[in-house]
Amino acid sequence: RELWRTAVGDTVIGAVALYEGRAYACSRDGNVHVLDLATGKGVAKLAAKSPMVSSPAVTADAVYVSADSGSIYAFDRLQGSLRFSMALTPGTPIFSSPAVSDGKLFVGTRSKGVFVIADRPRDRGGLRSDPGRTGCADDLGLPLIEGDEASAVARTDRPVAPSTTTGDLAFSASGGKLVCASDLGATLWSIDLECDPPPSVSGDKVFICGKSSIQARKIVDGALVWRQELDAAALSYPVVSGDFVAVATADNRIALFRASDGKPHEPVPVGGKPVAPAICGNIMIVAGEGRIAAYDLASSEWLWNYKDQDHIGTATGQPVICNETIWVGTTKRGLVAIGAKR
């Protein structure tokens, strides 16, 4: 006989996981529905914000899921908070259900094989999430801003900053040299530089800005892949996301290049002294002197402008995209959070 029935937002295709009196079901509505096993009453919703067609992996302290966004998500089982997300195949759905064994998370993909993910030993440091300096602190994406003008939704004193460490390698620039070292401290290779710019890492390349140039080098040995001259001096480190490389320049523009071969794109005018932009997918968030705005790299069109442009002063650093909100430090308004009205 039927004991209970509970409606959820959309189809549940994968198996339902059971643990300590609760049922965990991934739904195409973008949520993991947590139900009381005895009554069917909803206990919580874990929001991946992307359709899921697989089964969750549930452990004593965590719930792991894979989603159509190409990312995996880990939630705290008791608190329901998002622990981390990781983009494995951006834009390509993951149909494989994750599995946990021996302290490792296993998940299969359509084109990149099987990923094995684990915590790094504490004495070897932590894995940083944003070596390309994209400005994205998580994989939840941009706010869904409608209309021509964006509004402030919050203020905080807790900004998030990206890093320049990737996997087992660390890159540093000092003394006129770019050094690639293992996380144990051994130098793998080094090259001479004309200055000491912060490097950015994406894919199999490391990107560096000189005083008036930008270059890409192979991670494995530092060999030059491409080099392009800038129309004006670089004001920021390279920002790398997908096949876009962006850098703020002294002529009040954002210079754009193709990451694979350095082919220049049309520069984007900012209208005032810019800082390093943030890139999420094909959308670039620019900030600078009196301006915060979103630019579509695919269509070369402006999407929106922050409505209080005349009152923000100058951006003090790269915008950070976190929790579907854009955070920007400004000289007149402090740290401004821009997003959809809640």
Side-chain angles (χ1 to χ4, degrees), residues 312-325:
I312 61 174
T314 300
T316 58
Q318 181 188 32
V320 173
I321 302 165
C322 182
N323 195 27
E324 294 185 308
T325 305

Side-chain angles (χ1 to χ4, degrees), residues 11-38:
T11 310
V12 176
I13 295 178
V16 178
L18 309 179
Y19 196 95
E20 291 189 345
R22 292 184 176 180
Y24 298 81
C26 293
S27 171
R28 288 194 57 81
D29 69 354
N31 296 300
V32 182
H33 294 267
V34 185
L35 309 176
D36 183 276
L37 197 54

Side-chain angles (χ1 to χ4, degrees), residues 244-264:
F244 291 104
V245 182
V247 59
T249 54
D251 56 357
N252 298 336
R253 300 192 296 180
I254 303 294
L256 288 171
F257 303 90
R258 191 160 62 189
S260 58
D261 58 12
K263 180 180 179 181

Side-chain angles (χ1 to χ4, degrees), residues 12-72:
V12 176
I13 295 178
V16 178
L18 309 179
Y19 196 95
E20 291 189 345
R22 292 184 176 180
Y24 298 81
C26 293
S27 171
R28 288 194 57 81
D29 69 354
N31 296 300
V32 182
H33 294 267
V34 185
L35 309 176
D36 183 276
L37 197 54
T39 64
K41 181 180 179 180
V43 176
K45 290 182 182 180
L46 311 179
K49 300 185 179 181
S50 176
M52 293 168 283
V53 297
S54 56
S55 308
V58 182
T59 67
D61 66 337
V63 179
Y64 301 94
V65 299
S66 54
D68 281 9
S69 62
S71 295
I72 58 169

Side-chain angles (χ1 to χ4, degrees), residues 94 97 136 203 219 307:
I94 300 177
S97 300
C136 297
I219 282 181
K307 70 175 185 178

Side-chain angles (χ1 to χ4, degrees), residues 3 27-28 50 59 72 96-97 151 166 168 200 216 262 268 273 275 279 326 338 341:
L3 298 179
S27 171
R28 288 194 57 81
S50 176
T59 67
I72 58 169
S96 169
S97 300
S151 302
T166 180
D168 293 329
S200 299
V268 178
K273 183 180 179 181
V275 296
I279 302 178
I326 300 163
I338 300 170
K341 289 290 187 182

